[in-house]
Amino acid sequence: QVQLVESGGGLVQPGGSLRLSCIASRSIFSINTMGWYRQAPGKERELVATLTSGGSTEYVDSVKGRFIIYRDNAKDTLYLQMNSLKPEDTAVYYCRGVITKVTYSSVYWGQGTQVTVSS
């Protein structure tokens, strides 16, 4: 089992920055892939960015060049640095972790943190 707890959301003006954090209840070395997803009102949850244990990253096109996903292994924490925020970035942001075994994978989600971009 893995518990993931997000923090860092809030209200920010367009063009501003926020950093989201996701603390894992176990060593993030043991989590094969971690990522950030978001869900805006009336829309489906979508991938924002992922980071594998090997260090590979992937971003949705709409955030490339603005968001950075990274981790601090010593703190068992995943981060999402969000710059040049736009109103369309408004959503609940969720942390996700996937542990892959030989015959199955386990997926864990955090409770979400609200990000609102508005003037």
Side-chain angles (χ1 to χ4, degrees):
Q1 284 286 347
V2 180
Q3 281 75 50
L4 302 172
V5 179
E6 304 100 330
S7 61
L11 173 64
V12 63
Q13 292 187 343
S17 297
L18 280 176
R19 188 181 74 165
L20 305 183
S21 301
C22 171
I23 299 176
S25 62
R26 61 187 285 179
S27 170
I28 60 175
F29 279 120
S30 66
I31 305 174
N32 300 92
T33 302
M34 296 192 75
W36 290 96
Y37 288 69
R38 66 187 178 187
Q39 187 166 19
K43 295 187 177 181
E44 294 187 354
R45 191 172 298 188
E46 66 168 353
L47 167 71
V48 177
T50 60
L51 173 63
T52 69
S53 56
S56 298
T57 59
E58 180 180 339
Y59 298 89
V60 67
D61 286 346
S62 61
V63 309
K64 286 180 180 178
R66 300 189 297 124
F67 290 11
I68 301 172
I69 186 171
Y70 64 101
R71 65 183 182 224
D72 185 332
N73 295 331
K75 296 182 178 180
D76 293 325
T77 301
L78 179 75
Y79 298 98
L80 184 69
Q81 177 66 44
M82 304 187 295
N83 302 319
S84 302
L85 282 161
K86 305 175 181 180
E88 50 264 42
D89 295 318
T90 295
V92 177
Y93 283 71
Y94 297 90
C95 178
R96 177 179 183 259
V98 181
I99 297 176
T100 302
K101 302 295 186 181
V102 174
T103 57
Y104 68 95
S105 294
S106 298
V107 180
Y108 303 92
W109 291 93
Q111 82 288 350
T113 185
Q114 176 70 48
V115 171
T116 302
V117 184
S118 176
S119 55

